[in-house]
Amino acid sequence: MNAAGKQGILIKRASSRKRSRDLLKTHLTPAGKRGGATCSQPCPAAGRPGSTMAAEFCSDSEDLFGDYDSLLEDSALLEKLDHAEQLDFTALRHKEPGEDVLTDSILDVLVDEDLHSSQRLFEDQVDRPPKKSRAQDGDRVLSPLGDAGDTRKRRSVADRMKRAMICNAAAPSSVSRGAKMKEAVVSEEISIAMRAMDTVCAETPDLGPFFGLPTRVKELMFKLRGIKDLYDWQQTCLNLDCVQRRKNLIYSLPTSGGKTLVAEILVLRELLCRRKDCLFILPYISLVQEKVRGLASFGLELDFLVEEYAGSKGRFPPVKRRNNRSVYIATIEKAHSLVNSLIETGRVEDLGLVVVDELHMLGDGSRGAIIEMTLAKVLFTSKSTQIIGMSATLGNIKDLQTFLRAENYTNDFRPVQLKEYVKLTDTIYEVDPTEEECFRFSRLLNFKYSSSMQKVDPDHIIALVTEVIPTHSCLVFCPTKKNCENVVGMICKYLKKEFLTFRQTEKAVLLCELKASGSGSACPVLRRTVPYGLAYHHSGLTSEERKLVEEAYSNGVLCLLTCTSTLAAGVNLPARRVILRSPYVAADFLRRSQYKQMVGRAGRAGIDAVGESVLILQDADRHAAKTLICAPMEKCYSNLLRDGARGLLSLILSLIGLNICSSVDCVMDFLCVTLLYVQQEALCTETSLKEEVQRCVDLLRDKDLVTETAQGQTLQVTKLGRATFKGCVDLTYSDLLYKDLSKGLEGLLLNSCLHLVYLVTPYDMITQCRPDWMVFFRQFTMLTDAEQKMSAAVGVPESFIARKAAGQTVRKPVNMEVVSRMYLALVLFTLLKETNLWSVSERFHLSRGFIQSLLGSSSAFCSCVLHFTEELEEFWPFRALLTELTRRLSYCVTAELIPLMEVAGVMESRAKQLYNAGYQTLTRLANADPALLSNAIENLFPKRAQQIVASAKMLLNEKAAALQEEVDELLMKP
């Protein structure tokens, strides 16, 4: 309960309009001002002096202090006043020297005689400090007379005292002790009311009728998102008692149920009502960029900043802003670094809310360990930060509740009904868990296959898709990337020619955009399938190609996508029918969570009445599929002990480095707020948790990352340990990175960036690519002598590459990890020189998507290496070099396009269009008219133009605010 409630005071907004003059007139108002009217109602009796009166709710036409409209509760006060005049007139005329006198100057400040004393006092307390009386003796009567000299014409003592009492009730007077005490009560109540209102404004997170937010937010939801009303479950969730009391919450719903909107409303409430920063954690860079674009318009309208933390973007610690609040949209890794930096600078309490999407990813390998570390640090270091988790349905949600000290809200709501089917041979069965076999016969496929067609499409995919396309949409999930391309090509062969005429013009526009994104080149598979309204979607495409395909599918230009399982976890692309080509992802059988995520894409809210999913099975997989469909949801387990306790090692190092823990006992205290602690009985089967912690501390000491004080009681990080956790470098590679950088200093090649590129090529990408020896040798021979010497210096001589290209045996041992890393560095080096991803892709026989992924990983790792070198004095030459290299790797375009590429969602081809149209700087783009921009840029839809302009404005505001904060800090007086 707030402070106002504790004091028994009920506050309601009073009307800002002034009350009618007639309501203010009393029997003391001059007749000329009363208009002949008289006060027929007796003045309301005041409470006993010294008692506290509770303010009541009052209507818009009432005064908050209506009981005090008349100060003269006694109707015979005029007679008493005349009697006092007769008794004291002489004394008043003969004032003793040194006595204070209430002169005409007090009356001179009174502008409106009709304004009641209670209102005047309230106004004085709000707008300015009230003028204090100069009385020196509490029992002394303050005379209403002026100077005793004959130079001024004296007024009637009674008239002036009456005016003084009416217009300046704050002045104490001994004429009426009751009136004096009554005015004291008024002053006290005004003071209490002011304090209560201040408390309500500071503590109550309620600025309006839309779940505590202003109506303006509801209007923006409709204007920017087309959302007019919330689903019942969303309203219920937002009104939960735990949400109102800012307790932690985990809520679980099926895919496409509208979970994200609830989180966004809570974020807006934290930003606008409590004026606190927020952190929104998303699993993928593409989702981060999409969310930044989606919230930018809200930020501009509601005056908060949206900051992107993905890849190489983001400042650590974030800029501390005095006037603006920020929402940080971050990937899992960047969110961890952000929380570390806030803890280190003592600003974690500024974080009012942390939202985690896909909370069930706590159980997914090393990334799950990072989520757990991040949330545990927030729980341990901040008592006021609320945590909201959005999760798929889990079998052990209670463990997550215990870990986060959270309540759980679960609902099976779906905006569109989902019907699940499986297909065996040419028969369709409906999934029914109540049946013994879990499947119930539904129908037979009605599609005539020729013998040749049966050989090409034994799974009857064409029959399943042609039942819904082109009038409805369809997703076909395939086990591999190559299978995606093969299936979409196969479907096109057997589609009727009528498919070519469906939205033909828009398909032609899409092909032009795809060609522009590839600098004049387009994928041959897409060139063949797009005219039919079909496309494939997987990581082999560039991010720009994927975005164009997604937008075309969402707009109905494309009616079918063949895709891998990653689409189900990424952007929301629903379909009337979802087909699972196989119950496998690569060689692994589907997990139930993956299956639910895929089939959850079936059904488009507001378009379809029902959604359908069809799982294609072979007889050999029937039993496994039954288990997949009917089994309970998987359980989520901590990953801190995975892969030799890599997560726990990293956690302990950062805890010591952040001065959160300084001993094994302190680490054990911290682990009490982790998921690992909740599940230690299931996970620590061979050794106890404390023994595991001690082993990790010993290993960190052996790696020279931590050290103990002379007494052996306190743990401290070494310089290398601090550089490792500040740079977020994997402990597996920290020693290797230090050695590579140290060796690089001995003969750093500065007339080419190849050496630097090699040093920032990610270690974890090495295993994802095998060198093509002929390509390697051909590209190696094109290097300069200095570059070839540099390659030999790191361990990859020309003779070795030549022998491998010729197919000869190499007797001298060579580190193949170094060779593979050098090959990837050569790919990056070529890309930086040419900036044409298509030509590099063809030259090295690598997919465009892989090269772009390599580029993104390298820019992120380059940023990590930069932070690593900043903590080690011996690596000072790398700091300036790596800063510029990070920028080049992040965008890989010509220098003039980089400012435009910084805008969320602007890719290289769009940046070129904007630059050529005259929008050559961020400022020009931020001040552009979206309508004119849409007309000036080919194939730029108005809604997309609005998003680009909003993102540019947000980025500009963010940069301006950061500069202003620096200026304020420089000018701040010590």
Side-chain angles (χ1 to χ4, degrees), residues 250-252 359-360 389-404 406-410 634-636 675 679:
I250 302 169
Y251 60 100
S252 310
L359 183 64
H360 53 270
M390 295 178 279
S391 172
T393 306
L394 293 172
N396 61 338
I397 197 72
K398 289 287 185 184
D399 286 355
L400 270 64
Q401 283 185 253
T402 305
F403 162 43
L404 294 178
E407 296 192 26
N408 180 43
Y409 175 80
T410 303
E634 296 114 334
K635 295 184 178 181
C636 176
L675 181 61
Q679 299 174 333

Side-chain angles (χ1 to χ4, degrees), residues 18-19 21 24-25 29 33 63 68-69 71 110-124 128 163 165-169:
K18 196 170 183 178
R19 293 184 300 159
R21 290 288 188 189
L24 298 176
K25 294 172 183 171
T29 306
K33 295 195 175 185
D63 191 305
Y68 300 104
D69 273 349
L71 294 174
L110 300 174
V111 179
D112 189 352
E113 292 181 356
D114 288 340
L115 195 61
H116 282 60
S117 57
S118 61
Q119 288 184 307
R120 171 64 63 186
L121 183 56
F122 187 82
E123 181 180 293
D124 285 345
R128 61 185 180 277
R163 291 183 65 192
M165 290 182 67
I166 295 170
C167 302
N168 197 5

Side-chain angles (χ1 to χ4, degrees), residues 58 65 102 206 347 474 533 544 570 635 679 755 794 838 921:
C58 47
F65 302 98
L102 183 64
D206 191 343
R347 291 166 48 193
C474 183
E544 190 164 6
K635 295 184 178 181
Q679 299 174 333
H755 199 170
V794 299
W838 274 80
T921 64

Side-chain angles (χ1 to χ4, degrees), residues 424 437-439 589 617-630:
L424 279 163
E437 292 297 319
C438 220
F439 308 134
F589 201 81
L617 294 177
Q618 308 301 323
D619 286 333
D621 298 322
R622 181 166 185 161
H623 180 72
K626 177 183 174 182
T627 304
L628 168 70
I629 293 172
C630 300

Side-chain angles (χ1 to χ4, degrees), residues 71 133 138 179 311 350 360 386 410 420 425 572 706 729 749 756 844:
L71 294 174
S133 170
D350 292 344
H360 53 270
Q386 184 183 18
T410 303
E420 299 178 45
T425 61
N572 186 20
V706 299
V729 177
L749 180 67
L756 284 174
F844 285 89

Side-chain angles (χ1 to χ4, degrees), residues 799-819:
S799 58
F800 169 79
I801 301 172
R803 284 180 173 274
K804 294 294 287 185
Q808 299 177 3
T809 304
V810 180
R811 293 188 177 88
K812 189 176 181 180
V814 174
N815 188 332
M816 288 305 297
E817 290 186 352
V818 173
V819 173

